[in-house]
Amino acid sequence: MLFHVRMDVHLPHDLDPHIRADIVAREKEYSQRLQREGKWPHLWRIVGEYSNISIFDVDSTDELHALLSGLPLFPYMTIKVTPLATHPSKIAGVG
C-alpha cells in the first residue's frame, strides 16, 4: 500500500540544543533504516520549510501508523496522510 505523507516539524524555539541534536540524529538514523528497508522509498524536502513530502510503501495502515509514531520527531510533527491508488491512465513502467 502506498501513502503520500506530508510531515511538518514544529520544534520549540526554547528546546535545549543538546536535546534537539539528539532527536535530529535519532530521526536521521531511523528514517534512513526505513529507506534501506524499502518502507520509505521517496523523501523530498519542501523548500523553505522544516517539512517533507514522502511516499511510504507498507502492508497496512497499522504498519504506517507504527512507523510514523516511531519517528523521534513525531511529538513535534503535524502529519497528513493520503492513501494512493493506481491511476487508470498510468503507463506501465513509468513513474
Side-chain angles (χ1 to χ4, degrees):
M1 299 176 73
L2 295 176
F3 294 90
H4 172 277
V5 180
R6 178 180 172 130
M7 295 177 239
D8 299 300
V9 180
H10 311 283
L11 287 171
H13 296 291
D14 59 349
L15 185 64
D16 179 281
H18 298 291
I19 293 172
R20 182 188 192 285
D22 176 65
I23 294 170
V24 170
R26 289 186 294 118
E27 180 84 7
K28 183 176 182 177
E29 180 182 324
Y30 181 76
S31 68
Q32 288 181 347
R33 178 172 58 84
L34 294 177
Q35 290 172 68
R36 283 190 291 275
E37 292 173 359
K39 299 292 182 181
W40 195 337
H42 299 283
L43 171 60
W44 296 277
R45 168 145 300 168
I46 298 174
V47 175
E49 299 180 28
Y50 196 173
S51 303
N52 74 71
I53 296 290
S54 297
I55 301 295
F56 281 81
D57 188 356
V58 294
D59 294 328
S60 68
T61 55
D62 290 332
E63 181 183 13
L64 179 63
H65 181 77
L67 295 178
L68 293 175
S69 62
L71 290 164
L73 285 170
F74 181 77
Y76 306 102
M77 289 182 173
T78 301
I79 299 175
K80 182 176 182 209
V81 176
T82 305
L84 301 174
T86 302
H87 195 285
S89 297
K90 180 184 180 294
I91 298 173
V94 176

